[in-house]
Amino acid sequence: MRVRDLNWFQLEEYLGRDDRIVLPIGSTEQHAYLSLETDNILAERVAAEAAEPLGVPVLPVLAYGLTPSFGAYPGSPTLRAATLVAVVQDLLESLHAQGFRRILIVNGHGGNPNLLRYFIQSQLSQRHDYVVYFFDPASDPVVDEQVKRLRKSDPAGDQHAGERETSTLLYLRPDLVQMDRATTESGANQKRLVLPDLYTAIWWYAGYPNHYAGEGGQATAELGRVLTEARIDALVRALKAVKADQSAPALQNEFFNRVKE
């Protein structure tokens, strides 16, 4: 059910029985010894594998995100925040015009969630008769215990191209992981900025000037399998919840009616 593999009349037939669609959003960016496509792969593969058995179409991944901190690395283009918001809004309006009423965003890039939450909240500024959902799975104690047994590095510092992300790519696309380079740079927090109770744009670069956070050399495909399968299972549940959801559309309509009054 990848949209790029379908034709328009297959989707027209689908819209006769369902109105869900999945929009994966990633980023093309530096990932140390991992592929520039890492975030796109993580978003699109999880979306496709969860949606396929349910017969829900998955759009091609939106392959550019908010990545200004990677500007020094070739192959890491970024969109401005306003541009990314406008692009996603245009996509939603276009999908709505074609008949889709329940649009689920699946994100693969760590720099996108705050902007995407802002974007979704901003949907209340104008009446829509579609609902946009953001896949944001809660922690699963059973999976957490499995991960704890398999993990070899400190989870506190495991972020960009660290053990979790590297393990996931080892499971999905091992051909795109250069493990021989995983220990050639430090993934430790350099702690070059100490500002208690304050947030500033340079926080990430201050701590991780290599844009590498964690110990990717500890990664295993088995950990990647557990993480990926858990995320797919959670997305399957989310897609089923979206199909069954009658509350969000009704409440959204009630809200817009009250605003109009």
Side-chain angles (χ1 to χ4, degrees), residues 62-217:
L62 180 55
Y64 304 101
L66 187 65
T67 58
S69 58
F70 293 88
Y73 294 89
S76 303
T78 185
L79 297 177
R80 289 175 294 177
T83 302
L84 181 56
V85 165
V87 167
V88 177
Q89 187 69 65
D90 284 353
L91 289 172
L92 296 190
E93 296 293 340
S94 179
L95 290 167
H96 164 255
Q98 294 169 9
F100 296 98
R101 296 291 184 270
R102 301 165 193 261
I103 303 158
L104 176 59
I105 293 175
V106 175
N107 177 59
H109 169 51
N112 286 339
N114 287 338
L115 183 62
L116 290 173
R117 289 188 180 94
Y118 155 78
F119 167 78
I120 290 173
Q121 190 66 36
S122 73
Q123 297 301 295
L124 295 180
S125 64
Q126 183 177 350
R127 178 182 283 274
H128 303 287
D129 65 348
Y130 62 85
V131 179
V132 55
Y133 304 84
F134 180 44
F135 177 55
D136 189 18
S139 178
D140 182 329
V142 175
V143 175
D144 290 346
E145 186 58 35
Q146 290 179 286
V147 170
K148 184 178 179 180
R149 289 198 302 268
L150 292 169
R151 177 186 284 285
K152 300 176 183 178
S153 67
D154 182 357
D158 186 11
Q159 299 181 71
H160 200 250
E163 185 180 4
R164 286 176 67 102
E165 197 165 38
T166 301
S167 293
T168 304
L169 203 62
L170 276 174
Y171 174 64
L172 293 173
R173 287 293 304 274
D175 55 309
L176 299 180
V177 182
Q178 296 184 18
M179 287 299 288
D180 58 317
R181 295 178 60 91
T183 57
T184 60
E185 292 182 313
S186 172
N189 189 342
Q190 303 300 303
K191 300 179 179 179
R192 300 186 299 165
L193 186 68
V194 181
L195 294 171
D197 305 319
L198 296 170
Y199 180 88
T200 183
I202 204 67
W203 75 273
W204 173 257
Y205 178 76
Y208 304 98
N210 298 323
H211 296 287
Y212 169 30
E215 298 180 49

Side-chain angles (χ1 to χ4, degrees), residues 217-230:
Q218 303 282 4
T220 63
E222 176 60 14
L223 176 58
R225 181 190 64 79
V226 170
L227 292 167
T228 302
E229 290 182 354

